[in-house]
Amino acid sequence: NAGVTQTPKFQVLKTGQSMTLQCAQDMNHNSMYWYRQDPGMGLRLIYYSASEGTTDKGEVPNGYNVSRLNKREFSLRLESAAPSQTSVYFCASSEMGGNTEAFFGQGTRLTVV
Amino acid sequence: KQEVTQIPAALSVPEGENLVLNCSFTDSAIYNLQWFRQDPGKGLTSLLLIQSSQREQTSGRLNASLDKSSGRSTLYIAASQPGDSATYLCAVLWNSGNTPLVFGKGTRLSVIA
C-alpha cells in the first residue's frame, strides 16, 4: 500500500528553469494538497484540490500552478523558478469533509540556485 | 484568522520522563484535530485524530486530549524514549471539514538517553 507518492525526491534548478512535481495517491481520496515547509515558517498551503476538476489557491500560491490530472494525481508546476522557492514540498491527500486522517508523501527537496 | 500555535518550539527531556506537548487554536468551532510526527528529512506521519465530539484519543504511549472551549489540545507521551525524538505537529480542520488543514509550526522534541 503506497499511500502518497511524490517524485522526484530531490531536485536542483537554476533560476528561471521550470519543472513539475508529481504526486499520486492510491487511497481513492477526493482531496489533494500541496504544502511547502520552510525553517521557522512551518507548513504553508500552496494549492489544493477539493475534488477532481477543482483547484483553489492556498496561502502562498504565487509562482506556482497546479493540475488535477485525475482523481489519483495532482501536480505542481514552477514555470520560472526563483531562489525564494527553495523549500521542501509536500503533497497530501484526505477526504475533505470526512472525519479521516490526512496522509502525506515523503517530500521533494528543491534547491533553486 | 484561524491559526494554530505550538509552544514551546523545542523541548529536551531525559529518557523515561512523561511529557506534554501543547497546541492552541483560535476559533473553537473545529471539525477535527490531528497530531503528526516528523522525523528529520522525512514526511509527516499521522499519530492521532480527535474528532470535535471527542475529548481524547489514545494510541500506545500517546494520549491526545481536546478542550474546544479553551482552544487547546495536548499530546501526552508516557515514559519517553530516545526514539520519540522528532518534531510533533498539530493541525486543525475547520469549516465542517471543507477547507484544508491548518498547521502549527511544531515542537522539536529531543529525548536524551
Side-chain angles (χ1 to χ4, degrees), chain B residues 15 23-24 26 28 49-50 54 59 64 67 73 79 83-86 88 90 95 101 104 109:
Chain B
E15 181 178 7
C23 171
S24 61
T26 59
S28 61
L49 171 73
I50 309 178
Q54 298 175 319
S59 176
D67 184 344
S73 175
D84 294 330
S85 298
Y88 291 82
C90 169
N95 300 329
L101 283 168
L109 173 66

Side-chain angles (χ1 to χ4, degrees), chain B residues 77-92:
Chain B
I77 303 177
S80 59
Q81 303 170 357
D84 294 330
S85 298
T87 296
Y88 291 82
L89 294 137
C90 169
V92 176

Side-chain angles (χ1 to χ4, degrees), chain A residues 31 33 94-98, chain B residues 30-32 93-100:
Chain A
S31 303
Y33 317 88
S94 74
E95 278 302 320
M96 192 180 282
Chain B
I30 71 170
Y31 190 71
N32 64 41
L93 205 55
W94 277 286
N95 300 329
S96 301
N98 291 316
T99 52

Side-chain angles (χ1 to χ4, degrees), chain A residues 33 35 37 40-45 48 50 59 88 90 95-107 109, chain B residues 1 31-32 34 36 38 41-44 46-49 51 89 93 96-105:
Chain A
Y33 317 88
Y35 289 88
Q37 187 176 38
M41 302 295 290
L43 276 153
R44 294 181 291 169
L45 183 69
Y48 68 101
E59 182 183 354
V88 181
F90 288 101
E95 278 302 320
M96 192 180 282
N99 244 319
T100 58
E101 298 165 292
F103 292 87
F104 279 73
Q106 288 300 296
R109 187 173 296 274
Chain B
K1 183 181 177 184
Y31 190 71
N32 64 41
Q34 199 168 348
F36 293 88
Q38 186 178 28
K42 304 293 186 183
L44 280 68
S46 178
L47 296 174
L48 289 163
L49 171 73
Q51 299 177 18
L89 294 137
L93 205 55
S96 301
N98 291 316
T99 52
L101 283 168
V102 177
F103 281 84
K105 294 183 179 180

Side-chain angles (χ1 to χ4, degrees), chain A residues 36-73:
Chain A
R36 62 177 287 175
Q37 187 176 38
D38 302 288
M41 302 295 290
L43 276 153
R44 294 181 291 169
L45 183 69
I46 305 171
Y47 271 94
Y48 68 101
S49 171
S51 61
E52 187 177 354
T54 69
T55 60
D56 285 284
K57 295 179 180 179
E59 182 183 354
V60 288
N62 291 345
Y64 305 96
N65 287 302
V66 290
S67 295
R68 184 71 183 270
L69 304 169
N70 48 55
K71 192 172 185 179
R72 289 188 65 247
E73 299 173 288

